[in-house]
Amino acid sequence: MSVRDVRARAVRVRRASVRGVEEAALDWVWAHRDRFALGDDALAADGQVNRTWKPLGELTQVCASVSRSTPPGDPLHTRVSELLDFAWQQTHRGELFPLMQSLEPFATYPLEVYAAFASAGLRHPGYEASAAVVARTRGWRLTEQYPTRRLGVLEAERRSGLPPHGRVPQALDRTWLGGLPEPWTFERAAGYALTHVVFHLTDWGRAARGVPADLADYLLHWLPPWLDTCLDARMWDLSCELLAVAASLPRPLEPAVLDDAWQRVAAAQDTSGAVPEEGAAQDAAGADPGPDPYAFTDCYHSTLMAAFAASLTGLSSETFARSHS
């Protein structure tokens, strides 16, 4: 058996394992879709955005990405399409976005959530027209934000059909990753910042060419030790985000690195499909798992990220297998 044959076989084995994680994670998401529904507090002045719009936006973005990564005949494509329709219905087919803007004209989160829907082809022309008016104001352009968030807003404008109010290269230079920092300064906050920089640059895994060559080389070199550190610390949510970054780069990580990482993520995944945000799995901790071993807020994001990373990894592996066949 040639080296090429060995590599191709390894890719096929990995794809099967990663596919299992993705299917189980999306099964959990489907079974708990009502927990992503918007309640009466979604438009309340004292509502908690992180518990209402943020989960719905994250669900939408992951499903939009998985939909792009799977062919129409794939059962997972059907599943995420149904979840996208569910999420769109929660916004009253986009009608809530103009209302949100009238309540908080200079808040950026409505546009960021809307951009996830727009990337899936779900659009509301009326909201886009009104958002364009606000985006032309000095108040919008001068809103103070963390650098990674500003990069995200620029991309949200682009995906929503609005002229971005700044340039991506300048915004990128202000981020942690954009400065090519000393690798030993990596920690939790920096990890989440760098993953989202890559997500914004690649349109959530759609275009690996969006990562500048120097950043790609830097990440290819340092992702393996960072990923290993997070896996050792049982930081499953961040580990899955790093795996999504790895699958978004122009070249894949070493197969041994990916195989080890996915084996550990699969071992942390509960039989229900849920992936804990961090810490030991409930079964390993000796607790009775029950039908829902984790509180929704302790696993919904990490489970979504597992599905997202698995989908991108499967697509990346398929591309690699074709190029070596």
Side-chain angles (χ1 to χ4, degrees), residues 164-323:
H165 72 276
R167 298 183 61 191
V168 168
Q170 282 72 23
L172 175 60
D173 287 344
R174 297 291 306 278
T175 66
W176 185 85
L177 177 61
L180 300 178
E182 298 84 354
W184 48 265
T185 62
F186 175 89
E187 39 76 44
R188 183 193 299 265
Y192 280 111
L194 85 84
T195 60
H196 282 72
V197 165
V198 174
F199 297 160
H200 298 320
L201 292 176
T202 63
D203 194 5
W204 292 81
R206 174 181 284 184
R209 64 183 180 276
V211 182
D214 59 339
L215 292 192
D217 290 341
Y218 178 82
L219 288 169
L220 286 165
H221 189 76
W222 292 112
L223 262 183
W226 291 342
L227 177 59
D228 188 59
T229 296
C230 291
L231 289 166
D232 281 347
R234 296 171 175 171
M235 298 168 65
W236 309 116
D237 186 61
L238 182 52
S239 294
C240 287
E241 290 204 8
L242 291 173
L243 281 168
V245 167
S248 301
L249 297 178
R251 302 192 306 277
L253 300 184
E254 289 295 324
V257 173
L258 292 175
D259 291 343
D260 175 69
W262 278 110
Q263 287 173 16
R264 290 202 261 178
V265 170
Q269 187 174 37
D270 183 72
T271 54
S272 66
V275 176
E277 186 170 303
E278 59 182 55
Q282 289 284 20
D283 287 344
D288 179 9
D292 284 308
Y294 307 104
F296 179 77
T297 54
D298 292 337
C299 70
Y300 88 84
H301 188 267
S302 40
T303 304
L304 284 174
M305 287 300 102
F308 175 51
S311 179
L312 293 184
T313 299
L315 182 62
S316 176
S317 296
E318 182 177 333
T319 301
F320 179 83
R322 284 201 304 266
S323 67

Side-chain angles (χ1 to χ4, degrees), residues 13-137:
V13 171
R14 186 186 314 128
R15 285 175 60 192
S17 174
V18 171
R19 171 78 179 203
V21 171
E22 182 182 8
E23 290 177 345
L26 288 175
D27 282 346
W28 183 91
V29 172
W30 176 258
H32 295 78
R33 61 192 181 281
D34 288 345
R35 298 296 304 274
F36 292 92
L38 294 177
D40 295 336
D41 59 339
L43 297 176
D46 58 349
Q48 298 185 34
V49 174
N50 285 344
R51 293 183 177 274
T52 55
W53 287 98
K54 185 173 181 284
L56 186 71
E58 290 164 340
L59 170 69
T60 302
Q61 182 57 69
V62 167
C63 289
S65 297
V66 175
S67 177
R68 292 197 304 255
S69 302
T70 54
D74 191 316
L76 292 185
H77 185 94
T78 302
R79 172 58 54 85
V80 295
S81 296
E82 292 171 343
L83 284 168
L84 280 170
D85 185 63
F86 164 80
W88 189 234
Q89 294 296 335
Q90 293 302 308
T91 71
H92 297 186
R93 304 190 65 80
E95 290 294 325
L96 291 188
F97 287 105
L99 181 56
M100 290 167 64
Q101 186 178 53
S102 68
L103 296 172
E104 296 185 81
F106 295 98
T108 60
Y109 74 87
L111 183 68
E112 293 171 272
V113 173
Y114 177 79
F117 285 105
S119 71
L122 300 170
R123 310 187 78 112
H124 189 283
Y127 171 67
E128 291 182 14
S130 61
V133 173
V134 174
R136 288 196 295 268
T137 65

